[in-house]
Amino acid sequence: MSNNNYPKLHNATWPGIVGKGPDSEPTIALDNMLKMTAAAEVDGVKFDGVDLGLFDPHYDLDTSDDGVKRLADKVAAYDLEIGSLVAPIWGGPAMGTKEQRAEFVEMVRKSCEVGQKLRALGIRPNGIVRIDSASGVTDWAKDPKANSKLIAETFREACDVAADFGERLAAEGEICWGGMHSMDYMLETFEMVDRKNIGFQADMSHTTLYLLGYNAPEHRVLPKDFNWDDRETFLAGLKKITDKLRPWTIDFHVAQNDGTVHGTGSHDKTGRHCQATDPNGKLDIANDAGYWLRDGSGELTKAFKHICWDGCMFSNDIMTQPNTWNDILAAMIKVREQHGWHEA
């Protein structure tokens, strides 16, 4: 075992909500997500913290200061810290009407206020506030130039609001979000936003789909006749997107992907999150994470103090099995062993 203690190892709680609901499976309560996270252990190593989705039924953004304190106490009771937060911006598409865009910015404001309060309470030593365009690719494609301009304007306003709270915003690149559905469109959006406190949230599953050009075949990186047995070609493609997106990356999700898309409940199809030990997984998790965590010269970037596992749209049956979380933790420990560091 390595003596590396950074980056800290976090689990996401929002997979208890995302893809769940009336037309899918029941949501999993925050208490249960925390309990399962805290129970995981591999050779004496446990998760250090959680990343939280600030939306119902896990959290009410309009709660009082006492509610924020109760959240902090709840997480601390499991000997966990809080890292990145997800702003519930989906009621106001970033390329929507004036009123919808104002709603988007307001959700960011409320989330950043919570983040600031959690920092003041000492439970949140690091992390970002996560956003996306909340806009579908089909709608975006009706007028790409105008819609990207609107998304950038909304993101810019959100960045200015976040700066008032000392927060950074991380846009998660997923094939289901318009203006963010390929490496090229994501970079274009960042350049249009032109703010210092915005960056990229890289998810190993979602960025794998960037390589395959889902929803943006014009930006496909791997050849159309690509065979997953051709590891050399895959890594060359991975290097291409990480070299471009790594300088923007301020938050990182460890994940596995089987090269397919998946959607449940109300969530659009996006990169499938697989179990860490899935035999159909296409990623060598520990090795491939290094393309994000190390620069082109192989040096650690140390661009963020924690990494997080995102198991969105895992079935409830899978999520309630203790071995699921032990396998995930084991995979993350390997990432830290290979690409971590030690701080006193």
Side-chain angles (χ1 to χ4, degrees):
M1 295 291 290
S2 165
N3 68 346
N4 291 338
N5 59 357
Y6 281 89
K8 297 300 183 182
L9 308 181
H10 284 206
N11 190 25
T13 62
W14 59 82
I17 304 174
V18 175
K20 311 296 181 184
D23 53 351
S24 180
E25 295 184 306
T27 58
I28 299 176
L30 176 60
D31 280 331
N32 289 339
M33 293 298 299
L34 293 172
K35 188 180 301 182
M36 292 186 291
T37 300
E41 184 172 352
V42 177
D43 295 331
V45 178
K46 301 175 73 70
F47 280 106
D48 299 299
V50 288
D51 287 4
L52 301 175
L54 298 179
F55 40 91
D56 293 334
H58 281 186
Y59 189 76
D60 178 3
L61 259 188
D62 292 319
T63 191
S64 64
D65 285 358
D66 286 342
V68 178
K69 179 66 163 55
R70 285 195 298 272
L71 173 65
D73 290 345
K74 180 192 295 285
V75 176
Y78 289 96
D79 198 24
L80 297 166
E81 65 185 25
I82 296 173
S84 297
L85 308 173
V86 180
I89 39 71
W90 305 285
M95 63 181 205
T97 64
K98 180 180 179 180
E99 292 74 20
Q100 288 174 324
R101 293 170 57 218
E103 175 71 7
F104 183 106
V105 175
E106 178 63 6
M107 291 300 102
V108 171
R109 185 195 68 77
K110 289 183 176 181
S111 299
C112 290
E113 185 176 18
V114 171
Q116 183 185 59
K117 291 175 179 177
L118 291 172
R119 288 202 312 272
L121 290 168
I123 190 72
R124 183 172 174 251
N126 56 71
I128 51 79
V129 173
R130 182 263 191 202
I131 61 171
D132 56 60
S133 67
S135 306
V137 176
T138 301
D139 289 337
W140 172 88
K142 293 174 182 176
D143 193 343
K145 186 174 181 179
N147 286 328
S148 285
K149 182 179 179 181
L150 275 177
I151 291 169
E153 287 178 0
T154 307
F155 280 12
R156 196 176 302 123
E157 290 181 33
C159 283
D160 292 344
V161 166
D164 292 338
F165 295 92
E167 290 289 344
R168 296 183 298 167
L169 303 182
E172 184 177 23
E174 287 192 61
I175 60 167
C176 60
W177 301 125
M180 307 172 61
H181 56 293
S182 77
M183 172 185 71
D184 299 73
Y185 291 132
M186 188 76 261
L187 290 169
E188 181 181 88
T189 296
F190 283 142
E191 290 164 1
M192 291 174 67
V193 174
D194 191 28
R195 288 292 187 273
K196 292 182 179 180
N197 65 326
I198 194 170
F200 186 61
Q201 183 184 77
D203 179 291
M204 293 177 68
S205 175
H206 299 317
T207 51
T208 299
L209 273 295
Y210 272 6
L211 290 168
L212 299 174
Y214 276 97
N215 289 343
E218 67 274 23
H219 294 157
R220 184 184 178 106
V221 176
L222 296 175
K224 290 183 179 180
D225 61 351
F226 172 71
N227 186 308
W228 285 104
D229 291 333
D230 185 356
R231 179 82 174 151
E232 183 178 352
T233 298
F234 168 75
L235 290 178
L238 182 61
K239 184 179 187 304
K240 180 176 180 179
I241 65 168
T242 52
D243 283 350
K244 292 287 185 66
L245 288 168
R246 189 191 311 109
W248 290 94
T249 302
I250 60 175
D251 201 58
F252 184 64
H253 287 173
V254 181
Q256 179 58 282
N257 182 274
D258 64 1
T260 68
V261 297
H262 181 63
T264 59
S266 60
H267 199 291
D268 290 337
K269 289 185 176 180
T270 187
R272 178 188 284 272
H273 284 108
C274 298
Q275 293 187 69
T277 56
D278 192 317
N280 293 317
K282 307 303 183 186
L283 305 176
D284 179 338
I285 295 175
N287 179 80
D288 299 352
Y291 283 78
W292 293 100
L293 301 176
R294 296 180 180 275
D295 64 20
S297 301
E299 296 298 319
L300 292 172
T301 67
K302 299 183 181 180
F304 28 85
K305 289 293 190 75
H306 82 273
I307 56 179
C308 181
W309 176 274
D310 187 340
C312 268
M313 293 184 275
F314 277 15
S315 70
N316 286 359
D317 178 60
I318 288 173
M319 292 179 70
T320 52
Q321 295 178 23
N323 283 345
T324 296
W325 305 107
N326 288 337
D327 289 343
I328 286 167
L329 180 57
M332 295 189 72
I333 290 169
K334 288 180 181 178
V335 172
R336 184 162 69 183
E337 286 175 348
Q338 292 190 29
H339 311 294
W341 66 95
H342 183 82
E343 292 186 14

